[in-house]
Amino acid sequence: MIDSIYVHIPFCAKKCNYCAFNSKVSNEEEISAYVDALITEIKNIPYSLYPYSPISLYFGGGTPTILKISQLEKIISNLKIDSAAEITIEANPGTVDENYLKNLRELGFNRLSLGVQSFNDEILKILGRIHDSKTALETIQNAKKFFDNISIDLMYGLPSQKLSDVQRAVEIAVAQDIQHISIYGLEIEEGTNFGKLYAAGKLILPDDEKMYDYITENLPRAGFQRYEISNFAKKNFESRHNLGYWTGAKYLGFGAGAHSYNGKIRTSNIRDVATYIKKIRAGESVSLVEEIISPNAAMEEFCFLGLRTAKGLSVETFSKKFGRNIFEVYGAVIDKYLKLELLNFSDGRIFLTPRGMKLGNIILADFLL
Ligand code: SF4
């Protein structure tokens, strides 16, 4: 049984300076050919093998809203999805006007995830974003006319960013009466413009610890509960799609570079857009087996993903899933972090403390078997 569907749209109006996602600037001809290939891939999945009614559908990118409404309609009409599912589309300010947002809602999208990143125009320029803060605010206001489940992405640790910028961004974000905020620290990725500048010693990054502290302390005060390391939501507005990833849900991904997971095997599609289109046209498979999940890898993953969430992982679920007691497998590491008060154990669940979340990556790495 598949829990979620992901559709990847690998096109953007402009490549941002920090971005290592599978996305590129393209032309109408290639975008149109990609949409056709995507629909063929969707149609080729034998639904008899996937007797699903997914809890979520997610259009990510890239910038899915670079597509025309008619193209989105063609794709979504080929997916079997119940209107009760969470149906998200990522959008970028500057690519959607009021009419487009209205059309999205009419197509069945019921959650909008906006890549705002910052409310400081200078910083937006440095990031290479196509929008300014005024456009971002207008897009949020327009979106609120049609959507009652809106998320925005914000970033911290950015070149020339000060703590006061982060404070202002948080204040503006919480004043927008939206439901969800994802916050990401800048990561320098190889192959990006920032990666090159950083390697050449030309990118100065701020100390982001106080920014992190400000965000993680103040969003919950403003009613956005932290339910995952990077995600904050008002009550009942946690992203069902992302929670699925963190709790081991099975998902099916369509499009260039999209991943799928059936509980045992993880596959990924060919990343290159031109090759993806060519192979689909030739009737060839675009899916490559990436990893057959061994029992050890499954236990590691269960812990990594579960511990990213505020609820943490269930000791009982671990036993049921793997036929072993988690303390037999991870007793020493759990004990170590309980003593350091970086982990907590209560009501049958193990979870990171607020200080543990801050050191998340170091702790999670210790769960490797
Ligand atoms: S809009 Fe998003 S996906 Fe596109 S280049 Fe910028 S960061 Fe990458």
Side-chain angles (χ1 to χ4, degrees):
M1 190 82 152
I2 290 295
D3 303 302
S4 299
I5 297 179
Y6 175 80
V7 177
H8 191 70
I9 308 297
F11 305 111
C12 289
K14 178 174 180 261
K15 190 77 182 170
C16 299
N17 291 329
Y18 57 95
C19 178
F21 294 132
N22 189 26
S23 70
K24 64 170 191 167
V25 178
S26 188
N27 53 50
E28 278 200 21
E29 202 186 328
E30 187 177 50
I31 295 177
S32 167
Y34 181 80
V35 169
D36 289 343
L38 190 58
I39 292 168
T40 305
E41 190 196 2
I42 292 168
K43 282 185 175 163
N44 282 348
I45 291 288
Y47 280 104
S48 56
L49 293 180
Y50 297 98
Y52 58 79
S53 62
I55 53 163
S56 65
L57 166 64
Y58 194 104
F59 275 57
T63 307
T65 47
I66 210 160
L67 297 191
K68 295 183 187 119
I69 287 292
S70 57
Q71 292 173 317
L72 288 171
E73 186 172 15
K74 262 164 77 182
I75 300 167
I76 206 166
S77 64
N78 279 287
L79 290 161
K80 288 186 184 175
I81 189 95
D82 193 286
S83 60
E86 178 189 271
I87 309 178
T88 303
I89 185 159
E90 288 178 355
N92 280 317
T95 61
V96 287
D97 60 16
E98 188 174 335
N99 197 38
Y100 191 97
L101 290 161
K102 180 170 176 271
N103 287 327
L104 285 181
R105 187 69 192 93
E106 283 168 4
L107 278 186
F109 291 101
N110 52 29
R111 183 172 183 273
L112 191 74
S113 175
L114 285 170
V116 171
Q117 318 311 355
S118 168
F119 288 107
N120 177 317
D121 288 343
E122 262 323 292
I123 294 174
L124 286 167
K125 257 191 221 149
I126 293 171
L127 294 178
R129 302 292 306 195
I130 56 166
H131 69 273
D132 58 17
S133 59
K134 186 169 168 272
T135 315
L137 287 167
E138 276 168 11
T139 305
I140 295 170
Q141 290 315 312
N142 282 336
K144 279 167 62 181
K145 295 177 190 159
F146 310 105
F147 289 85
D148 53 16
N149 192 352
I150 298 171
S151 176
I152 67 168
D153 288 355
L154 291 175
M155 297 178 78
Y156 68 96
L158 303 171
S160 95
Q161 193 178 39
K162 298 187 188 68
L163 176 61
S164 57
D165 291 314
V166 171
Q167 290 169 334
R168 190 170 155 268
V170 168
E171 275 163 26
I172 296 176
V174 302
Q176 300 308 306
D177 193 23
I178 50 172
Q179 290 71 32
H180 189 283
I181 301 176
S182 299
I183 305 256
Y184 302 103
L186 175 68
E187 284 184 21
I188 302 295
E189 309 271 2
E190 241 179 80
T192 63
N193 287 342
F194 274 6
K196 288 174 207 148
L197 286 173
Y198 190 74
K202 291 184 184 157
L203 196 71
I204 315 289
L205 299 176
D207 179 357
D208 62 4
E209 193 176 346
K210 286 202 175 102
M211 298 177 182
Y212 174 94
D213 290 341
Y214 183 86
I215 292 161
T216 53
E217 280 162 24
N218 284 279
L219 282 179
R221 280 185 197 147
F224 290 86
Q225 289 316 313
R226 188 181 199 183
Y227 69 100
E228 194 266 349
I229 287 184
S230 308
N231 287 278
F232 300 76
K234 290 197 177 148
K235 199 163 185 275
N236 299 327
F237 284 99
E238 297 85 4
S239 158
R240 270 189 261 165
H241 188 81
N242 288 340
L243 273 175
Y245 288 144
W246 301 316
T247 51
K250 300 181 183 93
Y251 50 87
L252 198 52
F254 296 109
H259 292 248
S260 300
Y261 175 59
N262 67 5
K264 294 190 180 76
I265 299 173
R266 181 163 293 118
T267 56
S268 68
N269 280 355
I270 286 165
R271 268 176 77 92
D272 180 67
V273 172
T275 315
Y276 170 87
I277 295 171
K278 203 168 133 206
K279 283 201 166 262
I280 296 254
R281 279 184 175 161
E284 293 170 22
S285 168
V286 289
S287 167
L288 311 163
V289 171
E290 198 171 82
E291 192 184 4
I292 297 172
I293 310 290
S294 67
N296 273 5
M299 287 191 279
E300 289 168 358
E301 202 159 278
F302 180 86
C303 295
F304 292 163
L305 297 175
L307 287 174
R308 288 188 63 90
T309 65
K311 277 190 181 164
L313 53 88
S314 154
V315 168
E316 193 187 334
T317 308
F318 187 98
S319 307
K320 278 193 193 144
K321 230 174 144 92
F322 306 112
R324 296 181 68 182
N325 183 315
I326 193 167
F327 294 100
E328 266 172 37
V329 186
Y330 286 114
V333 57
I334 291 172
D335 202 40
K336 170 175 150 191
Y337 288 118
L338 284 175
K339 282 191 181 127
L340 290 168
E341 296 183 357
L342 296 171
L343 276 184
N344 212 337
F345 177 39
S346 148
D347 287 338
R349 303 193 75 92
I350 298 169
F351 50 93
L352 292 169
T353 62
R355 220 158 52 81
M357 281 219 171
K358 199 168 174 177
L359 302 170
N361 288 342
I362 301 167
I363 300 169
L364 298 183
D366 254 2
F367 279 79
L368 277 174
L369 288 168

